[in-house]
Amino acid sequence: MPVISDIRLNLKKNDILRREGFRGYTRIRPEIKNIVLELLESADSAHLLEPTTAYEIYPVTGMDPDKVLLEGDAVVSGSLIPSTFPEAKELAAIVCTIGPGLEKQVTEYSQGGETLRAMLLDGIGSAAVDTLVIEVCHCIANEASSRGLQAGSPVNPGMPGLTITEQGNLLGLARAGDIGVNLTSSGIMVPRKSTSLILALGPKMETWTQADVCARCNLRDTCPYTVLHS
Amino acid sequence: MAKDLCKTLADLKEDEVLAIVQEKLNAGADPMGILADASRAMEIVGNRFSKSEYFIPDLVYSGEILKKINELVKPKLTEEVGTKKGGKVIIGTVAGDIHDIGKDIVVFMLDVNGFDVIDLGVDVPAQKFVDKIKETSAPVVGLSGFLTLAYDSMKQTIEAIKAAGLRDNTKVMIGGGQMSDEIKKYTGADAFGKDAMVGVSLAREWTGTK
């Protein structure tokens, strides 16, 4: 099972600000910008970001309209992958996390009445997870490319055709417990700054831009983090 | 002459705001007048937020400035007046959900807008909400939940409030991730808030606070 933990994240300013609820990016006031920069520095110096991923690549052995059959009697239920990636030869089950450090600090800020710092640091954490996913997908796509396969766009539990209840199955397939990512009894991932995804690999896979992903999402009109209105 | 407190606070000029407040207090100004100016400024901030001229961090920043104003003014207020005038609001993230940042922002904005907020934390069982309503007679309850999984928990909590005979005197708002009229109906809530300012507006409306 591949586990990668020495991933260097190059966080982009616009991604951070978007995750902090800003739109337009130009109107950030200097007082807030200074806090963001200070928090970024402290996240680095206090090692609040521990980007880690666990993933496993499974050969596809069969596909029905509502499920994908994988080697080792594993199954991914839902119509999303069969309908979007019918030519997939392999599926990569992936879990990414930045660890528990940042969210502990967010809670400390919140409990100490420093709500602004808490929310800005939380946004940095979300942007870090986004960036980590991009890095990990690139890494897996590069490896697949050497075997003549393309990677499709990542899909997550919760998207139409891949229910959130598949998350437990996905964490098992990626062996997420080995990097300290688990589900609560109600199905929430801990550490919270974690995400699970599937990458379909095959000869010709569909890919989307972030704007495409946002346009497909049920939250497209109200989401404060969408790229559509940036 | 002191600059306009209302305008300066609405423009989020923290240092200038605090200097103006201190200057006014030193000159013997009525602390309630200062709070009234601040309250008008927060309305402007809310309007700018609703027009997307300000964003969530700006909103929270305005709250932090207001908190500092309250700290400066508080010693000058009589005990009876105080800075809390908005009534009690119980708030918590429903059972099964552990997300807290959105809830914490709402708690903060309610608090700086004068509400007496009772924050029950995260993963709060329905019975705990019921017990706290009985104990405090709070007229407003806020249920927070980020994932779709929280909707059932919100519904169960509202049903528990109803079963305890407390629903008629308790207004319930829900907030978190994806909220809509459909989810409001499903859970049995009175209203949903898409952001912290809507939460404050609802609490004001339901408690008759200006």
Side-chain angles (χ1 to χ4, degrees):
Chain A
M1 176 203 69
V3 168
I4 308 173
S5 55
D6 56 345
I7 303 165
R8 181 81 193 153
L9 297 182
N10 180 22
L11 298 183
K12 294 192 177 84
K13 185 186 86 175
N14 283 358
D15 292 337
I16 293 171
L17 297 182
R18 180 170 66 83
R19 277 304 201 161
E20 287 172 341
F22 286 101
R23 287 181 184 175
Y25 308 135
T26 53
R27 285 173 286 182
I28 178 170
R29 60 191 57 257
E31 297 90 340
I32 294 177
K33 187 180 173 187
N34 288 341
I35 298 173
V36 174
L37 292 174
E38 187 195 312
L39 289 169
L40 264 174
E41 207 174 294
S42 72
D44 192 37
S45 61
H47 306 291
L48 298 182
L49 300 175
E50 297 174 303
T52 307
T53 186
Y55 68 91
E56 191 74 67
I57 295 174
Y58 293 85
V60 173
T61 56
M63 213 178 277
D64 291 340
D66 61 348
K67 66 184 170 204
V68 183
L69 307 172
L70 304 174
E71 196 174 273
D73 294 331
V75 176
V76 173
S77 299
S79 60
L80 179 62
I81 295 170
S83 62
T84 316
F85 306 108
E87 294 178 34
K89 299 294 179 204
E90 299 174 352
L91 291 189
I94 308 163
V95 172
C96 298
T97 185
I98 57 163
L102 182 135
E103 64 194 47
K104 277 183 191 158
Q105 184 62 59
V106 168
T107 301
E108 269 181 39
Y109 280 142
S110 239
Q111 289 174 347
E114 294 186 84
T115 311
L116 182 60
R117 278 174 184 272
M119 73 160 299
L120 293 175
L121 184 60
D122 190 79
I124 290 173
S126 298
V129 175
D130 293 344
T131 307
L132 175 60
V133 166
I134 292 169
E135 293 293 327
V136 170
C137 288
H138 277 160
C139 170
I140 294 173
N142 285 342
E143 189 277 329
S145 160
S146 68
R147 293 184 286 115
L149 300 176
Q150 275 186 5
S153 284
V155 294
N156 310 85
M159 290 173 90
L162 186 62
T163 66
I164 193 77
T165 50
E166 268 300 283
Q167 188 131 264
N169 180 33
L170 184 47
L171 263 62
L173 291 173
R175 297 186 178 92
D178 291 356
I179 58 167
V181 176
N182 295 291
L183 279 189
T184 65
S185 57
S186 54
I188 294 172
M189 266 191 287
V190 284
R192 278 171 290 168
K193 292 297 180 196
S194 305
T195 191
S196 64
L197 56 142
I198 294 174
L199 212 52
L201 308 171
K204 189 165 170 55
M205 295 288 97
E206 185 165 338
T207 57
W208 309 312
T209 63
Q210 183 58 50
D212 293 333
V213 175
C214 286
R216 285 164 178 257
C217 178
N218 292 333
L219 294 173
R220 61 186 167 272
D221 295 327
T222 54
C223 177
Y225 312 120
T226 180
V227 300
L228 294 177
H229 313 300
S230 299
Chain B
M1 195 180 121
K3 283 189 184 174
D4 182 347
L5 173 61
C6 178
K7 182 182 181 311
T8 315
L9 176 54
D11 290 342
L12 305 183
K13 294 178 177 168
E14 180 179 357
D15 292 343
E16 283 183 45
V17 167
L18 299 180
I20 293 170
V21 171
Q22 194 58 65
E23 194 181 326
K24 279 177 178 277
L25 289 173
N26 291 345
D30 176 11
M32 291 308 290
I34 293 173
L35 292 178
D37 282 348
S39 178
R40 278 197 298 276
M42 293 303 278
E43 271 179 41
I44 297 170
V45 169
N47 286 336
R48 289 179 183 173
F49 175 71
S50 66
K51 287 191 271 185
S52 294
E53 291 171 19
Y54 281 175
F55 302 97
I56 299 170
D58 300 311
L59 199 61
V60 175
Y61 185 47
S62 72
E64 294 205 340
I65 302 173
L66 183 59
K67 201 171 156 189
K68 289 178 184 172
I69 294 173
N70 284 340
E71 279 162 13
L72 287 173
V73 169
K74 212 171 178 178
K76 307 281 183 186
L77 293 172
T78 59
E79 222 172 81
E80 304 82 62
V81 177
T83 52
K84 297 287 177 197
K85 55 180 172 44
K88 288 177 183 168
V89 180
I90 295 170
I91 195 164
T93 302
V94 292
D97 199 337
I98 54 172
H99 289 90
D100 55 7
I101 189 73
K103 184 256 310 164
D104 288 348
I105 292 170
V106 178
V107 167
F108 177 75
M109 292 311 295
L110 285 167
D111 181 58
V112 296
N113 279 283
F115 288 90
D116 183 2
V117 190
I118 300 145
D119 181 2
L120 299 181
V122 299
D123 195 12
V124 182
Q127 190 58 43
K128 197 167 173 184
F129 281 101
V130 171
D131 292 345
K132 197 49 88 172
I133 297 168
K134 281 183 186 167
E135 182 192 323
T136 63
S137 303
V140 179
V141 171
L143 304 179
S144 175
F146 185 67
L147 298 178
T148 51
L149 301 162
Y151 304 155
D152 284 333
S153 200
M154 288 174 171
K155 185 180 166 76
Q156 285 155 15
T157 303
I158 293 169
E159 280 168 357
I161 293 170
K162 195 174 175 184
L166 301 166
R167 187 69 178 93
D168 290 346
N169 296 319
T170 311
K171 289 281 193 181
V172 182
M173 62 170 112
I174 55 172
Q178 184 180 6
M179 288 292 148
S180 65
D181 269 321
E182 205 174 275
I183 295 159
K184 185 195 87 174
K185 260 185 216 160
Y186 176 74
T187 59
D190 295 296
F192 69 94
K194 66 179 177 57
D195 57 55
M197 278 317 284
V198 176
V200 172
S201 298
L202 286 170
R204 277 188 180 139
E205 186 189 323
W206 289 344
T207 58
T209 308
K210 286 189 178 176

